[in-house]
Amino acid sequence: MDASLYASRRRRNVLAAVASYGATFVGLTWLALILGVLFWQGFSGLSLRVFTEMTPPPGAVGGLLNAIVGSLIMTALALLIGAPIGILAGTYMAEYGRHSHLTSVVRFINDILLSAPSIVVGLFIYYVMVRPMGHFSGMAGAVVLSVLVIPVMVRTTEDMLTLVPDTLREAAASIGLPRSLMIRQIAYRAARSGIITGLLLAIARISGETAPLLFTALNNQFYSTNLNAPMASLPSVIFQFALSPYKDWQDLAWTGALIITLAVLAMSVIARSLTGTRKAS
Amino acid sequence: MVDVAWQEAGVGAQDVADRARVLNRLRIGDIVFHRITKTAAIFVLVVLGGVIVSLLLGALPAFQEFGFGFLTAQSWNPVTEKFGALAPIYGTVITSLIAMLIAVPFGLMIAMFLTELCPIWLRRPIGIAIELLAGIPSIIYGIWGLFVFAPFIQQYVQPPVIAAFENVPVLSILFAGPPFGIGILTASLILAIMVLPFITSISRDVFDAVPPVLKEAAYGLGWTQWEVWRYVVLPFTRIGVIGGVMLGLGRALGETMAVTFVIGNAHRISASLFAPGTTISATIANEFTEAVGDLYTSSLIALGLILFIITFIVLAIARYLLLRIERRIG
């Protein structure tokens, strides 16, 4: 036995372990630091006023009501447009064309869309909606977000329907249930919690999207529910206020950032607990 | 279940004519549903086609005006309407590369910790924490970078580094200039923090997929933990890890908000990493709504097209590699 070789192997092993512990420690503290500052800064500005008043001019007090309402409207519309398309496309891929060529092409393209830069999607909607219409609008913002919802829904719907056991489908077919009814009444029901998880993940994904909204929905200082006019949203207000030189605007930006983060974390946690119970049962 | 079908069709009486009519209606319903889902699937392709076509059409005026010189020109002057994409392209590539240089080793080491060293009871909480962090919107990282990280860098990191490397040949150029706080290096560091959770969670997933038998065999021969990880786990998962890294790179390249806050928005290529610069996405985010004139807008869309092509290639390679490892695992 070569003792020096043995010692050097052990030394290398200890070094690697230290590096690994160190990397984890540094990574986690770094991320904890970000969240810590966010919570500290955000909570100090959080009050009822944030939810009841409009965004203020510099120097005045105010809240984020118009931005929150704008975000909610555009997110809801985006889901209404994007979720059905995504679910139906996922249904085709898992139920009708599981082994077809079309499915593998769509899956590949969908995966690309899933991680494509959202700002490019914003340019696309700018070109096909904002430019022909001649003005920015909340509707264009909703459409951008819906394009971001589709790939998330396609992916989760396909994955979840593929997990539904074929025996369920065969049982339904054997008693004469037509295929479309089998999908709607059996497969969707079996995959329901998974599809809801996908919805929550989609909401989490779009609620923080900023870049594509900047040149589709633009922003609006006033309360507006008109889909044909520019519409405020939390992320774009954060962007504008954070880069401004005014202290009270910057504080509001932190509070807005905290609201978004809490919403996103809540969605992810609920989504996780849904899939967790499904696996356990 | 047949009752369910009957109910859906709204049938009470069961005579032959009724039955035939209902069966017919169900058959048509089947066909219609099939068609609708297929249309939705094709719609996904149409969206991608729409993105490509609209970017091409939008970028056309800029390419007609500047030709391929657009890719190599450095000037970006809205007043004289001379636009070149070199500075944003350089900024995008360099920030992403530096970010990956930092995030990949860290991500791999954390993934190694999670799969090999971490006590079992701690694995789930840390894993979940990392996945939650991967979902935090990038604007949060941006605002933190602007208000907390950039001032910190400006006060405590840049002055000593500039002073230390003042007389060292190459490094004095890399770390030169006044300490702005914001700049290429700050943006790269923020990007690194942002893609870290991604790389970690994908690497952890592929490391977990290594058959335990392989590792046990190596341990049985008396290998150390490091040797098992380095010579069994890593080679086995090589393709998947590269795929995950490419996926992270795709994200870093296209990342907008985290970078826009701290890059400084200067259309310049400086040798110094402390100097302000710009990236493709930051340029678009900052200037698009203020762009006057068709040529200006078109140049910005052309930048978007270039970004899309770069990320498309990176993501396509990533997906291909990840697909290969998925098939191998079965």
Side-chain angles (χ1 to χ4, degrees):
Chain A
M1 181 76 88
D2 189 339
S4 72
L5 180 66
Y6 188 63
S8 89
R9 283 178 58 203
R10 279 191 50 160
R11 218 177 307 122
R12 199 171 298 168
N13 191 42
V14 169
L15 274 180
V18 168
S20 176
Y21 276 99
T24 311
F25 181 74
V26 170
L28 286 180
T29 26
W30 207 258
L31 293 163
L33 212 62
I34 294 180
L35 285 185
V37 172
L38 174 69
F39 276 65
W40 177 257
Q41 296 273 9
F43 269 120
S44 59
L46 200 61
S47 66
L48 202 60
R49 185 180 284 145
V50 171
F51 301 99
T52 55
E53 287 181 23
M54 308 297 143
T55 46
V61 287
L64 295 165
L65 177 65
N66 49 342
I68 294 173
V69 169
S71 272
L72 287 178
I73 292 176
M74 284 192 280
T75 307
L77 263 178
L79 284 179
L80 278 179
I81 303 168
I85 297 175
I87 291 177
L88 287 171
T91 307
Y92 174 80
M93 292 159 75
E95 297 288 342
Y96 288 109
R98 193 174 286 191
H99 304 290
S100 80
H101 194 62
L102 176 66
T103 297
S104 50
V105 173
V106 171
R107 191 182 297 132
F108 185 75
I109 295 299
N110 188 64
D111 279 350
I112 300 251
L113 279 178
L114 195 63
S115 19
S118 56
I119 196 162
V120 170
V121 178
L123 288 176
F124 161 54
I125 297 300
Y126 171 85
Y127 197 78
V128 297
M129 273 186 81
V130 178
R131 218 163 92 133
M133 285 162 67
H135 57 86
F136 301 103
S137 67
M139 196 61 215
V143 172
V144 164
L145 296 183
S146 76
V147 173
L148 298 171
V149 166
I150 291 174
V152 181
M153 289 315 297
V154 171
R155 184 68 189 264
T156 40
T157 308
E158 197 208 347
D159 285 354
M160 291 304 147
L161 284 178
T162 315
L163 286 180
V164 173
D166 277 339
T167 43
L168 276 184
R169 296 194 179 87
E170 286 156 9
S174 73
I175 53 169
L177 201 60
R179 199 165 183 185
S180 62
L181 280 183
M182 179 275 287
I183 294 170
R184 278 177 292 173
Q185 309 241 355
I186 311 289
Y188 279 172
R189 207 165 283 182
R192 188 167 51 197
S193 69
I195 294 176
I196 293 175
T197 303
L199 268 176
L200 292 169
L201 291 178
I203 298 175
R205 159 108 205 252
I206 61 174
S207 52
E209 270 310 334
T210 320
L213 289 180
L214 293 177
F215 37 85
T216 49
L218 200 64
N219 202 343
N220 196 333
Q221 270 217 273
F222 307 102
Y223 185 84
S224 162
T225 52
N226 181 1
L227 283 174
N228 210 15
M231 190 177 262
S233 64
L234 266 180
S236 48
V237 167
I238 295 173
F239 182 58
Q240 186 199 351
F241 280 18
L243 285 172
S244 78
Y246 313 111
K247 177 78 173 67
D248 31 349
W249 272 20
Q250 293 175 357
D251 288 346
L252 268 180
W254 276 112
T255 309
L258 177 69
I259 295 174
I260 289 186
T261 309
L262 288 180
V264 169
L265 285 182
M267 295 293 165
S268 320
V269 169
I270 298 172
R272 179 165 287 283
S273 62
L274 272 179
T275 43
T277 49
R278 199 182 47 74
K279 264 177 203 152
S281 64
Chain B
M1 276 308 150
V2 182
D3 293 342
V4 177
W6 286 137
Q7 260 172 26
E8 185 99 341
V11 187
Q14 303 252 324
D15 58 273
V16 181
D18 255 4
R19 250 170 192 263
R21 204 160 345 117
V22 167
L23 281 177
N24 200 33
R25 205 183 308 163
L26 288 173
R27 195 176 55 83
I28 292 173
D30 246 10
I31 296 170
V32 169
F33 192 68
H34 186 168
R35 291 271 161 80
I36 291 176
T37 57
K38 192 166 184 177
T39 314
I42 292 170
F43 185 77
V44 175
L45 302 182
V46 173
V47 168
L48 187 85
V51 172
I52 295 171
V53 168
S54 60
L55 286 179
L56 278 175
L57 286 178
L60 201 61
F63 278 113
Q64 272 171 346
E65 176 75 23
F66 305 115
F68 278 105
F70 183 72
L71 295 175
T72 52
Q74 216 197 110
S75 70
W76 185 269
N77 192 335
V79 182
T80 58
E81 299 218 303
K82 287 268 175 287
F83 298 106
L86 195 60
I89 293 176
Y90 166 80
T92 300
V93 172
I94 198 83
T95 48
S96 302
L97 283 185
I98 298 176
M100 298 315 281
L101 276 181
I102 299 166
V104 170
F106 265 89
L108 290 184
M109 290 317 272
I110 297 177
M112 172 185 164
F113 173 78
L114 282 175
T115 50
E116 307 287 334
L117 304 172
C118 184
I120 303 278
W121 59 271
L122 207 59
R123 265 177 213 193
R124 241 177 92 78
I126 295 184
I128 290 175
I130 283 172
E131 270 166 40
L132 288 182
L133 287 165
I136 288 186
S138 59
I139 191 166
I140 310 295
Y141 291 92
I143 185 174
W144 182 82
L146 178 70
F147 288 126
V148 182
F149 193 57
F152 173 81
I153 293 269
Q154 181 176 25
Q155 264 196 308
Y156 300 107
V157 179
Q158 287 182 339
V161 171
I162 292 172
F165 293 132
E166 207 169 9
N167 298 315
V168 184
V170 179
L171 294 177
S172 69
I173 299 170
L174 271 183
F175 300 103
F180 288 114
I182 52 176
I184 298 270
L185 189 68
T186 312
S188 311
L189 290 173
I190 298 277
L191 270 184
I193 299 169
M194 251 205 72
V195 294
L196 184 62
F198 273 96
I199 295 178
T200 306
S201 77
I202 293 179
S203 321
R204 188 202 51 187
D205 289 348
V206 290
F207 289 166
D208 265 341
V210 177
V213 189
L214 283 184
K215 288 195 273 183
E216 283 156 15
Y219 281 126
L221 289 172
W223 289 21
T224 63
Q225 247 168 347
W226 163 252
E227 286 161 347
V228 170
W229 186 76
R230 174 67 189 79
Y231 299 106
V232 176
V233 175
L234 209 51
F236 187 84
T237 55
R238 193 182 57 231
I239 299 170
V241 168
I242 296 173
V245 168
M246 297 291 267
L247 217 55
L249 178 62
R251 214 182 135 96
L253 287 168
E255 180 44 50
T256 313
M257 296 330 286
V259 174
T260 307
F261 278 107
V262 292
I263 188 95
N265 304 307
H267 280 275
R268 261 200 319 263
I269 299 178
S270 329
S272 170
L273 294 179
F274 286 164
T278 191
T279 67
I280 293 177
S281 48
T283 306
I284 301 173
N286 268 310
E287 303 182 16
F288 202 84
T289 42
E290 288 153 20
V292 276
D294 287 342
L295 196 58
Y296 195 176
T297 311
S298 174
S299 300
L300 288 170
I301 296 182
L303 279 183
L305 177 67
I306 295 168
L307 175 65
F308 186 69
I309 293 171
I310 299 175
T311 46
F312 189 97
I313 295 170
V314 170
L315 291 173
I317 296 173
R319 286 299 169 191
Y320 173 73
L321 293 175
L322 287 173
L323 210 66
R324 259 179 60 182
I325 196 156
E326 256 169 43
R327 270 191 207 137
R328 193 160 75 182
I329 293 166

